[in-house]
Amino acid sequence: MAPPPPAPDLSSYPKTTPPSVLLVIIDIHPLSWSLLASPPPLPSVPDQPAIDKAHASPMTLPDFVTILMVFLNAHLASRWGNEVVVYGASAGRAKLLYPPPSNAVAGPSKPRPNTYLPFQLLDSRIEQGLKEMAAEEQDRLANGDVNSLNQPPAMVSALTKALCFINRINPHTSASAALVDPTAAPDPSAPSSTGPDRPETRILVINATPGENVSTSSSSLDPSQTNGEVDGNVQKASGGQMRGGYVGLMNCVFAAQKAKVPIDVLSLPPPSIDASPPIFLQQAAHLTEGIYWQWNGRGGLLQYLHALYLPPPSLRHHPFAVPPQDAVGFRAVCFCHHKTLDVGFVCSVCLSIFCEPRPVCLMCKTRFPIKSIPTLKSLASYIEPIPVPDTVPPPPIPKNSKSQNNENNKKDRNKSVVNGNSGGGRGEPIEID
Amino acid sequence: MPLDLNYAPGAADEADDDFIDDDDLPGPSSRGKKGGASGGKGGGKGKDPGRHAWEAEYKKSWDIVQEDEKGSLESAVESLLARGRRKRALMADTPLRRSIIRHMFIILDLSDSMMDKDYRPTRFEVILGYLRTYVVEWFDQNPLGQIGIIIMRDRLSEVLVPMGGNPQEILSVLSDKRKLEPSGEPSLQNGLMMAKGGMSHLPTTSSLETLIIFSSISTADPDGPVTIHNVLQEMVDSKIRTNILSLSGEIKICKQISERTNGKFGVALDQDHLKDLMWDTIPPPATTIAPPITVGVRNALAGAGAGQRGGAVGKAPAGDLMVMGFPIQLPLGGETLCACHGLLKKGGYLCPRCGSKLCDVPTDCEVCGLMVVSSPHLARSFWFLFPVANYRVLAIEDVMDSINGNGDTCFGCDVEFPDVSTIEEGVAQVEDGVSPTGRYRCAKCRNDFCADCDLYIHDTLHTCPGCSQ
Ligand SMILES: [Zn+2]
Ligand SMILES: [Zn+2]
Ligand SMILES: [Zn+2]
Ligand SMILES: [Zn+2]
Ligand SMILES: [Zn+2]
Ligand SMILES: [Zn+2]
C-alpha cells in the first residue's frame, strides 16, 4: 500500500465554508438512456485484472435517479443551508424540476416520521418532476412529433436557466455593482463580494448523450440551414438555428467564468458507446475550473459522485484534491456546416469560423481576396488530426482502479497513442497535499 | 454650450442630466431636496445657465443614489436599470461589422496638470485606478487585441509598455506609481509620433487605435519643420483611429485630430462621465454594414461617427481569411520539450497540424507556421455576431391578453411574476423601459423574463434561454 500521507496541517484548513448551492442539470434524453440501459460489451483488459473483474453495468434512468437522490441528500446533509436545484434537459427542452414553484403543492401529503423532511421533499418532488417530463415526452411521441425527439438535449438552455438562477440569488455584475466606485476596487484579484454567508454555487452537468453533442447534430436536421446559406441570409438564419449550439455554450462558459461558477461535468456514456468525449462540455469544465470525468461503464457511480463532486469548490483543492484532468481539445465548430474543426478558416474582421475558404464572409460580408483561396486551401489540406496523446502514464502500483480505468479506456479509443509525449505526474485522483 | 454633443450616441443625453446637481450648495444638505424631486429625469435640463458642468462640485456616484421614503434603494436601482435599458435601446439592432483584432496605444498625459485635485484625490490617482480596471475589461472583450502605453511628460514621450497582449504586465507597470510621477508639459505631437512609429509594422487589416487621455489644456510641441498637422496627416494616412478624452474642456487641436482620424472626442464632465467615455471605447469599433440613408436627425447625429468611418474605410471592406488551428491543451503532467523555446516545461498546447508542443497560444506554430488559437479566444467575440434582440416590455393589457400563453414564472430564473390582477393601473411606473408587469418578452421564442434576467441576458449571458431550446 501507499505510505501514509504526511500529517496534514490542520490549522491551514478553512474553519468554515459558506453554504453551497448545487445546480444539477440531468440529461434525460430517452434515446440516450436506452443506449445506456443496454451498452455494448466492454472490451476486456487482461493486463488489469482488477478492472477486468468489474463487469459492465447497464444503467437505467430510474437506477441513476436513485443514485442521484442519495448524492443530493448527502449534499443537503453536509452543511446546514446547502441547497439543491435540479434541471432536466430532454430533447430540445429544459425544465426546472426542483424546487417546485411555491404555488404548487406545499409538500408531501403525509410527512413520514422517520425521514428528514427536506430529503423527503426533494425525493418526491424530483420523482414527480421527472414523471411529468416523461409524460410530456410521451405526448410528443403520441402526437407524431418524432423528429423533435431526435434533437439533442437542451443543455445550453438548461445552463442559461441555471446561470439566470445564480444571477438572481447572487447578483454579481448587475445594477448594484454600478453603484460601487470603480477606483475603490482596482484590484481584480480581490474576491469581491464573497461574504461569509454568501452561498457558493456550482453547476453539475450529467451528460448521458454520446458523441460531441451540444451543437453539432442539432442543426443537421434543420432544413432552414441550407436555405439560409443559399440566399446569403445566414446572419438571420444561423442566429436562430445555432440554438443549443456552440456559440450559446461558449457564452454560458464566459458568463460562468465571470460569476466564478465552476461547471462540473459527469459524462455517463462509457467509451464503448461513445468514441469521442463530449469535447465542448469538457471545454466548459476546463474553462470554468470545473471537474470533468467520464464514467467507464463499470459501476461505482455513487462513489464517483461522492468522491469527485461532493466537495464544494472552496474545499476542492484543499484539503481535497481534484482528479487529474485529461488533455482538452480546443476544437471549434464552423458556422457554415456545424462541423467540428481542427483547422478552420477565420474571417479577420469578425472572427467567424468556416470550414472551407469562401469569397465573402457569411457573417460580416467582408470580401476576401479571391486569388488567395487556392493558397488557403493548400494550407489547410492534408491535415490528419493529431490524436490526443495518452497523458496518463501507467501508475507504478496497480492499486487505484479509477485512474487505471481511465487510462485503459483512453488507450482503447486511441490506438495511435504517442506515449512519449506524456510524462509522469498524474497521480491518484484523491490525495492530500 | 454643452460640450458633449459630438460624440457617443447615448452619452449626450445622459451626461448632463444625470450627474449634475443644480443646487448651488451641494453636499449633504442638498440631498433632501434632490430626494424630493427624485425620479424626475430631465430636471437637470433647467440647470443654472451660469454654471458649467465641470464647475460643479464633484459628487460620488453613491451620493446620487437616493433612498426612497421606505429607506430602500429600490427606486434608485430601478432608475439605474432603466438607464441601462435606454442605453441599450439606443444601440441599433442593425448588423455591425466590428474590428475584432485591435491594436491600441493608450497615450497618457502625465503633465503637472494631472496633479489637479478636481478629481479626488487627484486626477492622476483616479485615472490610474480607472486604467487598471479598463485594461482588464478591455482584454476581456478583446482577447486577441494588444495594448501599449505611451506617456507624455516634460515635453517628451516615452513607451511605458510596448504593444503586447498581456494584461498582467500592463497592470504591474501601472501599479508602480513612482515611475509615473507627473511633471512638466505634454507634447501631443511627440506622443502621436511615438504611437505611429510603434504601429507602423502592423497590418492595416487590424484596427489601429490610440486612446489619448489628455489632462493639460495645451500641447508643447517641438519647434521645427514638422508640425502637429503633419503628424495628423500621417495618422490619417496610416488609418490610426485616435480617440481623445479631455479632462479640461474642449481643445481645438484634439477635436480636430479625433475627427480627422474618425475617432471620438470627449470632454469628461466628472469622474463618472470620464469612466463612461473610457468604457465606450472598450467594445470593438463598429461600422454598420449598410449605412442608413436618413433615419432622423437624432440617429444621424448619433451615427455620424460610424457613417464617416464607413466612408473613410471605403466601400469594399478589406479583410482576409486566416487559416487557424485549434490546439489540444495538455494537462499539467510531465515535462516535455516545447518547440518555441526548446525548454522542458509542463503543460502546453499541441499544434493540430504538426503536433509540436507550444508553450502558449495564440501564436504561430514554430514548426509548420500555422496560426494556433484556442477556440475560446475566438468565441469571446461571438456575442457580437449573434446578439440577443431586445426584449419587449409587456404592458398590463398584453399580459391579460395572453393569460393562457406563458406560465407565471420567469423563463430564465423561474421566479414568479407578480399577479397581474394585483397591479394597480395608476401606480404603474412611468419610467420608460421598465415594465409595469415585471415581464419582458423575447420576440423570437415568445417567453417572458423578469427584469433581472433581462438585464443579465443582455449584458452578460448573451444567450436567450428560450431561443436556445
Ligand atoms: Zn462549415
Ligand atoms: Zn467576417
Ligand atoms: Zn516554449
Ligand atoms: Zn505546427
Ligand atoms: Zn428571471
Ligand atoms: Zn428568446
Side-chain angles (χ1 to χ4, degrees):
Chain A
M1 283 316 287
D9 179 13
L10 290 173
S11 62
S12 69
Y13 288 174
K15 289 267 182 313
T16 175
T17 56
S20 166
V21 180
L22 172 64
L23 294 100
V24 181
I25 296 172
I26 170 168
D27 174 359
I28 52 176
H29 197 294
L31 299 182
S32 316
W33 280 99
S34 76
L35 266 179
L36 280 172
S38 51
L42 286 167
S44 68
V45 246
D47 52 329
Q48 305 273 347
I51 298 167
D52 208 26
K53 257 191 290 176
H55 293 294
S57 47
M59 181 58 64
T60 61
L61 185 56
D63 288 349
F64 182 73
V65 170
T66 315
I67 289 173
L68 184 69
M69 233 69 111
V70 176
F71 169 68
L72 294 180
N73 287 344
H75 171 77
L76 281 186
S78 59
R79 189 200 191 280
W80 181 83
N82 276 6
E83 280 176 50
V84 168
V85 179
V86 183
Y87 293 91
S90 181
R93 63 163 92 197
K95 200 178 156 199
L96 178 75
L97 299 180
Y98 183 88
S102 56
N103 59 4
V105 277
S109 41
K110 39 179 190 290
R112 274 175 279 157
N114 291 328
T115 313
Y116 181 46
L117 189 63
F119 289 176
Q120 202 188 338
L121 278 176
L122 179 85
D123 296 357
S124 65
R125 172 59 206 173
I126 289 180
E127 193 186 331
Q128 189 190 335
L130 281 171
K131 276 181 183 153
E132 276 168 22
M133 231 174 146
E136 283 167 24
E137 299 295 316
Q138 201 79 52
D139 282 353
R140 272 160 87 185
L141 204 57
N143 294 340
D145 200 2
V146 185
N147 246 355
S148 69
L149 269 188
N150 277 324
Q151 287 176 1
M155 282 296 176
V156 175
S157 185
L159 274 172
T160 50
K161 280 162 98 64
L163 286 164
C164 283
F165 185 92
I166 291 172
N167 177 61
R168 177 156 63 82
I169 60 170
N170 263 4
H172 273 256
T173 48
S174 58
S176 53
L179 301 176
V180 180
D181 184 14
T183 48
D187 180 15
S189 64
S192 60
S193 63
T194 34
D197 282 337
R198 196 185 170 77
E200 53 180 338
T201 47
R202 66 186 194 269
I203 298 175
L204 169 60
V205 176
I206 296 167
N207 171 51
T209 307
E212 281 156 3
N213 102 44
V214 189
S215 71
T216 41
S217 47
S218 77
S219 45
S220 58
L221 301 163
D222 193 338
S224 76
Q225 179 204 346
T226 39
N227 299 342
E229 208 183 325
V230 167
D231 53 46
N233 201 11
V234 169
Q235 179 120 13
K236 247 197 199 109
S238 51
Q241 152 222 122
M242 301 255 323
R243 51 208 174 125
Y246 174 65
V247 173
L249 182 69
M250 280 311 185
N251 286 339
C252 289
V253 167
F254 299 133
Q257 273 183 343
K258 261 200 178 141
K260 299 199 167 62
V261 175
I263 299 178
D264 298 332
V265 177
L266 171 64
S267 187
L268 292 178
S272 52
I273 292 182
D274 180 10
S276 54
I279 60 164
F280 298 109
L281 287 177
Q282 194 185 1
Q283 285 185 12
H286 177 83
L287 292 168
T288 56
E289 293 174 20
I291 297 170
Y292 168 81
W293 195 260
Q294 187 180 19
W295 185 47
N296 60 13
R298 292 176 195 266
L301 267 177
L302 182 59
Q303 286 84 342
Y304 280 131
L305 278 171
H306 277 152
L308 302 181
Y309 298 104
L310 194 57
S314 54
L315 295 178
R316 268 193 191 162
H317 296 275
H318 192 77
F320 296 98
V322 296
Q325 297 289 296
D326 282 328
V328 185
F330 273 114
R331 276 175 281 178
V333 173
C334 77
F335 286 11
C336 38
H337 309 90
H338 307 274
K339 282 194 235 166
T340 311
L341 302 176
D342 278 305
V343 173
F345 299 90
V346 177
C347 167
S348 69
V349 176
C350 68
L351 300 189
S352 310
I353 304 170
F354 305 109
C355 60
E356 57 196 12
R358 43 180 69 243
V360 178
C361 174
L362 288 177
M363 300 302 301
C364 70
K365 309 285 182 282
T366 297
R367 282 174 196 289
F368 305 124
I370 291 194
K371 54 182 183 298
S372 66
I373 287 183
T375 331
L376 289 172
K377 270 204 171 121
S378 69
L379 273 177
S381 55
Y382 310 119
I383 290 179
E384 290 207 354
I386 305 276
V388 179
D390 185 2
T391 47
V392 190
I397 313 154
K399 60 181 177 191
N400 192 309
S401 67
K402 203 179 296 159
S403 60
Q404 283 169 12
N405 266 355
N406 184 55
E407 136 118 334
N408 284 302
N409 297 338
K410 287 193 65 116
K411 268 197 181 137
D412 291 336
R413 64 171 190 263
N414 223 332
K415 300 289 187 228
S416 49
V417 152
V418 197
N419 212 351
N421 221 330
S422 65
R426 283 193 39 164
E428 311 141 51
I430 306 293
E431 58 189 11
I432 294 176
D433 42 311
Chain B
M1 55 155 305
L3 294 168
D4 53 347
L5 278 181
N6 306 328
Y7 57 91
D13 59 335
E14 25 176 85
D16 51 351
D17 47 23
D18 275 5
F19 293 116
I20 295 163
D21 191 14
D22 43 339
D23 203 307
D24 273 331
L25 292 168
S29 64
S30 71
R31 296 181 69 188
K33 279 187 229 164
K34 192 134 193 268
S38 87
K41 271 275 309 170
K45 287 288 185 201
K47 66 180 176 234
D48 180 0
R51 272 180 83 89
H52 293 298
W54 61 89
E55 293 173 307
E57 194 79 2
Y58 167 66
K59 291 183 73 94
K60 293 264 189 205
S61 52
W62 49 85
D63 291 337
I64 300 160
V65 173
Q66 297 297 323
E67 296 175 2
D68 59 18
E69 300 77 24
K70 287 174 235 137
S72 96
L73 286 173
E74 202 169 299
S75 56
V77 171
E78 202 128 88
S79 73
L80 270 171
L81 292 180
R83 198 175 136 220
R85 291 189 61 83
R86 276 200 306 280
K87 196 165 189 175
R88 224 175 32 232
L90 281 173
M91 281 172 41
D93 278 341
T94 49
L96 294 173
R97 196 156 54 81
R98 301 212 177 239
S99 318
I100 282 166
I101 302 187
R102 304 171 72 188
H103 293 89
M104 179 190 261
F105 265 117
I106 299 174
I107 306 181
L108 189 58
D109 177 357
L110 283 183
S111 61
D112 281 333
S113 62
M114 283 291 270
M115 297 312 286
D116 269 10
K117 293 197 187 327
D118 54 349
Y119 293 6
R120 303 288 165 75
T122 58
R123 290 183 177 185
F124 176 66
E125 298 268 348
V126 167
I127 287 171
L128 277 196
Y130 279 152
L131 269 184
R132 281 192 289 258
T133 15
Y134 177 88
V135 167
V136 173
E137 187 70 28
W138 196 90
F139 276 106
D140 196 43
Q141 294 203 22
N142 302 281
L144 295 179
Q146 299 196 343
I147 282 188
I149 297 186
I150 292 173
I151 54 175
M152 303 182 288
R153 62 181 166 193
D154 294 329
R155 305 191 182 195
L156 299 173
S157 64
E158 177 193 337
V159 177
L160 186 68
V161 187
M163 195 64 92
N166 182 356
Q168 292 315 317
E169 192 183 322
I170 298 173
L171 288 181
S172 71
V173 175
L174 283 181
S175 55
D176 189 359
K177 278 183 202 148
R178 273 173 312 157
K179 285 200 180 146
L180 300 171
E181 217 41 60
S183 81
E185 295 167 71
S187 163
L188 206 49
Q189 182 182 335
N190 285 341
L192 289 174
M193 291 270 278
M194 180 110 355
K196 201 193 140 282
M199 295 205 267
S200 54
H201 64 286
L202 294 171
T204 45
T205 45
S206 70
S207 167
L208 307 181
E209 295 162 60
T210 60
L211 170 67
I212 303 179
I213 299 177
F214 203 66
S215 152
S216 181
I217 46 168
S218 61
T219 157
D221 293 330
D223 296 330
V226 182
T227 69
I228 193 160
H229 296 280
N230 303 121
V231 179
L232 170 56
Q233 190 54 47
E234 287 179 41
M235 302 284 285
V236 173
D237 292 343
S238 40
K239 295 208 173 93
I240 300 176
R241 176 175 306 161
T242 306
N243 300 307
I244 304 184
L245 303 184
S246 166
L247 307 185
S248 313
E250 185 171 313
I251 298 161
K252 182 153 182 256
I253 183 68
C254 291
K255 196 172 173 192
Q256 211 176 343
I257 291 173
S258 47
E259 274 172 5
R260 296 248 345 247
T261 59
N262 293 312
K264 287 178 187 169
F265 175 70
V267 178
L269 302 170
D270 58 26
Q271 208 164 311
D272 296 290
H273 188 215
L274 172 68
K275 183 179 181 237
D276 282 351
L277 289 176
M278 282 175 77
W279 260 244
D280 278 346
T281 64
I282 290 182
T287 32
T288 43
I289 293 172
I293 323 293
T294 39
V295 218
V297 181
R298 187 191 169 81
N299 285 359
L301 264 182
Q308 280 170 17
R309 208 177 297 140
V313 171
K315 67 284 151 222
D320 274 316
L321 266 187
M322 303 175 287
V323 182
M324 286 191 183
F326 306 111
I328 291 160
Q329 184 177 8
L330 297 176
L332 287 173
E335 295 183 338
T336 45
L337 280 174
C338 74
C340 38
H341 309 86
L343 295 174
L344 275 174
K345 286 192 181 173
K346 287 186 176 185
Y349 300 81
L350 290 190
C351 167
R353 182 153 68 184
C354 66
S356 43
K357 193 187 99 163
L358 310 162
C359 285
D360 214 349
V361 291
T363 182
D364 291 337
C365 173
E366 287 292 322
V367 176
C368 68
L370 183 70
M371 203 187 295
V372 182
V373 179
S374 114
S375 52
H377 266 133
L378 300 183
R380 279 207 183 262
S381 60
F382 285 167
W383 67 271
F384 293 127
L385 304 175
F386 304 100
V388 184
N390 284 332
Y391 291 166
R392 190 166 64 89
V393 170
L394 284 196
I396 296 176
E397 310 85 73
D398 296 330
V399 180
M400 291 298 201
D401 288 346
S402 60
I403 292 172
N404 52 344
N406 294 311
D408 9 271
T409 56
C410 163
F411 196 79
C413 63
D414 290 286
V415 76
E416 271 173 72
F417 288 123
D419 193 351
V420 192
S421 52
T422 62
I423 302 172
E424 300 157 60
E425 301 248 355
V427 196
Q429 295 101 316
V430 282
E431 188 80 68
D432 50 335
V434 175
S435 165
T437 53
R439 297 183 185 222
Y440 301 84
R441 181 168 293 173
C442 171
K444 218 183 267 172
C445 62
R446 309 202 53 77
N447 286 303
D448 291 355
F449 297 88
C450 68
D452 282 344
C453 289
D454 173 38
L455 204 70
Y456 182 65
I457 288 166
H458 285 98
D459 288 351
T460 311
L461 194 53
H462 305 302
T463 305
C464 172
C467 298
S468 55
Q469 278 205 348

